[in-house]
Amino acid sequence: MYRQGDVLIVPVAETALPAHVTDVPDEPRDPRGRMVLALGEVTGHAHAVVGGGALKREAGPFGPALLHLPDGGRVVHEEHAAISLPKGWYRVVRQREYVPGAVRLVAD
């Protein structure tokens, strides 16, 4: 497992992937060519992956995100040390917080 701020990255065995994962479209990359895992609403900074691969995110604010890195990659952020990830599949989980009557993503 890997954590960078409010983003948790968990390795997933290819045999444990949902059958429909290949049907989920890839998330577009940002103008800098990065796969953005989480964008800081307050600072504008981003937890992002540089390198080859694909980010697949299901619909909805809490929809699961799966990251495929066939050659590995690096998770970067302006305020955190970079993390090198070996090749494979990963589930990306955003930290959530409870507020009375609701659950929301943590604002960065």
Side-chain angles (χ1 to χ4, degrees):
M1 263 191 280
Y2 306 86
R3 177 173 289 283
Q4 189 183 67
D6 59 343
V7 175
L8 178 67
I9 303 167
V10 182
V12 176
E14 194 161 350
T15 56
L17 292 170
H20 69 279
V21 72
T22 55
D23 298 331
V24 176
D26 294 353
E27 283 279 301
R29 291 177 179 255
D30 75 354
R32 294 168 56 185
R34 307 174 304 171
M35 293 177 280
V36 175
L37 306 178
L39 184 62
E41 299 83 3
V42 176
T43 63
H45 296 160
H47 298 276
V49 176
V50 293
L55 178 63
K56 297 177 175 285
R57 194 180 320 257
E58 301 226 14
F62 300 117
L66 290 167
L67 176 64
H68 183 222
L69 299 174
D71 299 316
R74 287 174 30 99
V75 183
V76 297
H77 186 279
E78 293 83 351
E79 296 174 340
H80 298 282
I83 299 172
S84 293
L85 298 175
K87 67 180 179 177
W89 281 91
Y90 299 88
R91 180 178 175 86
V92 179
V93 181
R94 293 280 311 274
Q95 184 172 337
R96 299 174 183 133
E97 63 185 350
Y98 172 78
V99 292
V103 175
R104 66 178 179 204
L105 295 173
V106 171
D108 189 17

